[in-house]
Amino acid sequence: VSTQSTGVLILFKGLMVAILSIVLLLLSVELFAQDPTTYVWNPKDLIATKQRVLNNDPSLKPSVDYLVGQAESSLLLGPWSVMNKKFIPPSGDKHDYMSLDKYWWPCTAHPNQTKSSVAVCNTTTGLPYIRFDGFTNPENKLYDHDALINMTVAVIELGLGYFFTNNEKYAERATLFLNTWFLEPATKMNPNLNFGHFIPGVANGSNGAIIDAHQFPEMLDSVALLRGSKSWTSDLDNALKAWFSEYLQWLRYSPFGKKESSETNNHAVWYDVQTGFIALHVGDSSVANTIVKNAVKDRIEKQITVDGEMPAEEARTKSWSYVEFCTDAFFHLAIMSESTSTNLWTAADNRIRTALDWQLPYIKQEKPWPFKQVYPFLKGCIMTEVDQCLASYYDILRIAANEWKNSTYEDVIPTLPGVAYETSTINLFFPKKY
C-alpha cells in the first residue's frame, strides 16, 4: 500500500508540475492575447518566437542571452535629454533638438587633405563651415545627435528585452528614457527638428536632420511591446501618441519636411519610412497608404535603375555605405507596404529585389566594389553613422530570404565578416524561415 501511495504521489506531483508549466506559459502569453501593434516587426512572428523562447527552444537561447546582455547594459545608461547640450539653438529654447550637419567642417580644416575652395574664410572662427562629404566632424557629439541615437537604441533593446523575458525592470527603465526625452516638461524635446543639421556660418538648420530620427519606427514598435507592463501606463502611451501626432504634422507640412520629401536619394526614402510608420502608430493609415502608393514612381522607379543600381548613392564618397543604407530604407518601405493596399515587394518589376541581387556579388566578395568608398566597408560598424560593414546586410538578407522564400540569401549571412549568426537579436524579431 505504501509503495502504491508513493507512486500516486509522484504521479500527482508530476501532473501538478505539468499543469503549473502550462499555466505559466498561458500567463506569459496572456499579456499579448492580441498581437502587439508593431509594424516593422511582424506581430505574429514576435508572438511565435516568444512561444519558442518560453518553450526553451535551444536555437534561440544564444540570441535571448545576447538580448538580455544588451538590456542589462542599457539599464546602466541614460537618461538623455535635449536639455543636456551645452549650446542654445537659435530659437533660444534648449527644448529644441540641435545637431551639426556632420559633413561640414570649419573652413580652416581639411579632413581629406583637400584644399578649401571657400572664397572667404575667417581663420579665427573657422566660419563659414564647408562640406567634406563622407568625413564626420567630431563636433557633432557636442549636440543632441548622439543622445537621440543612444536613447532610441536603448528603448529598442529594453522593449525587446521586456517582451521576451517579462522582466519589469527593462520596461521601467525604457519608460524613464521615453518620459525624459519626450514627455517630462522640464526635459522633453519639442516635436520638431528645426535646428538639426545646422551649419555654422551658413544655415540654422536643414531638412537633412530628419534622417537623424530614422530609427523612430523600431523604437515605436518597442513602445508597443511595453504596453503589457506595469511601468508603461495608458496615460503615458496616449501622451507619447500626442507627441508623435504633432511631430507627424511637422514632418508633413513644415518647410524642412516638404523639402526632405522632395529629395532624390536615400533621404527621401527614409523620410517616407519614418513618416509612414509614425502615421500607422498614431492611427492615420491613410497617410501610409498614400506614401506607399506614390513610392512606386517617386522612389523606386526614380532611384533604382532597371539593372538594380542606385546612381545617387553610387556618386557618394562612401558609396557602398549609402547603397546599403538606401537598400535598408527600401526594405523598410516594402515592409510598411504590407500594412497598406499596395505591394512594394513586387512593384516596378521586382526592382527592390533586383537592387539586392545587383549587390550580391559584392556582398559575397566575389567582385571588388567599383565605386568610391573612403572608409573601409569590410571591417567594423559605426552604428551612430551610416552602417560601415558587410554585417549590416544581415537583416536585409534575412528579410529577403523570408519574403522571397529563397534560402540563397540566408546562406550568405554566415559568410559576412564579423557577423554573429547564432547570437544576433535579429533572430528574434526577423526569425529565420528559409
Side-chain angles (χ1 to χ4, degrees), residues 21-32 50 54 166:
S21 298
I22 293 172
V23 170
L24 290 174
L25 179 62
L26 291 174
L27 286 174
S28 298
V29 179
E30 178 65 23
L31 292 173
F32 286 97
K50 183 171 183 177
L54 292 170
N166 296 323

Side-chain angles (χ1 to χ4, degrees), residues 37 175 178 183 220 222-227 231-244 281-282:
T37 50
T175 297
L178 290 163
L183 304 177
L220 289 175
S222 274
V223 171
L225 300 182
L226 296 174
R227 288 181 186 137
S231 301
W232 187 248
T233 66
S234 58
D235 287 345
L236 290 172
D237 198 57
N238 290 331
L240 189 67
K241 282 184 178 179
W243 192 98
F244 272 96
H281 274 285
V282 301

Side-chain angles (χ1 to χ4, degrees), residues 251-414:
L251 282 173
R252 297 183 66 200
Y253 301 115
S254 71
F256 282 169
K258 291 178 179 179
K259 191 172 190 304
E260 188 77 345
S261 178
S262 69
E263 296 289 359
T264 57
N265 62 359
N266 70 85
H267 275 260
V269 188
W270 280 115
Y271 169 86
D272 282 355
V273 168
Q274 188 179 159
T275 304
F277 276 118
I278 289 173
L280 289 171
H281 274 285
V282 301
D284 195 346
S285 59
S286 63
V287 172
N289 269 289
T290 300
I291 287 173
V292 170
K293 184 178 180 180
N294 293 338
V296 179
K297 291 188 177 297
D298 293 347
R299 308 297 186 224
I300 297 175
E301 292 183 356
K302 285 186 178 180
Q303 294 194 37
I304 305 174
T305 69
V306 293
D307 296 325
E309 295 194 52
M310 300 181 188
E313 313 308 327
E314 293 166 3
R316 301 293 297 273
T317 59
K318 295 195 295 186
S319 60
W320 201 349
S321 300
Y322 278 103
V323 166
E324 183 277 330
F325 192 50
C326 196
T327 303
D328 193 10
F330 275 115
F331 269 61
H332 274 73
L333 200 57
I335 289 172
M336 187 169 72
S337 76
E338 295 171 6
S339 298
T340 72
S341 57
T342 304
N343 182 1
L344 294 185
W345 289 116
T346 57
D349 297 322
N350 303 294
R351 205 169 295 187
I352 291 178
R353 183 173 186 175
T354 302
L356 179 58
D357 287 346
W358 181 87
Q359 296 167 58
L360 273 181
Y362 307 107
I363 298 171
K364 295 161 71 174
Q365 301 184 62
E366 296 172 346
K367 297 166 62 176
W369 184 252
F371 305 104
K372 191 171 185 177
Q373 177 69 26
V374 295
Y375 285 124
F377 193 75
L378 302 182
K379 297 179 180 179
C381 261
I382 306 175
M383 297 310 294
T384 57
E385 307 294 344
V386 173
D387 290 343
Q388 299 283 352
C389 65
L390 277 174
S392 304
Y393 279 102
Y394 192 136
D395 58 339
I396 294 173
L397 291 165
R398 170 63 56 77
I399 296 166
N402 290 348
E403 174 61 30
W404 297 310
K405 301 177 175 58
N406 189 325
S407 62
T408 300
Y409 301 103
E410 182 70 31
D411 293 342
V412 178
I413 299 174

Side-chain angles (χ1 to χ4, degrees), residues 156-167:
I156 292 171
E157 293 172 348
L158 289 166
L160 286 166
Y162 168 74
F163 178 77
F164 284 107
T165 69
N166 296 323
N167 193 325

Side-chain angles (χ1 to χ4, degrees), residues 13 38 56 77 91 103 198 201 220 244 291 324 347 377 385:
K13 287 183 177 179
T38 56
N56 296 314
L77 304 175
S91 63
Y103 294 148
F198 90 102
L220 289 175
F244 272 96
I291 287 173
E324 183 277 330
F377 193 75
E385 307 294 344

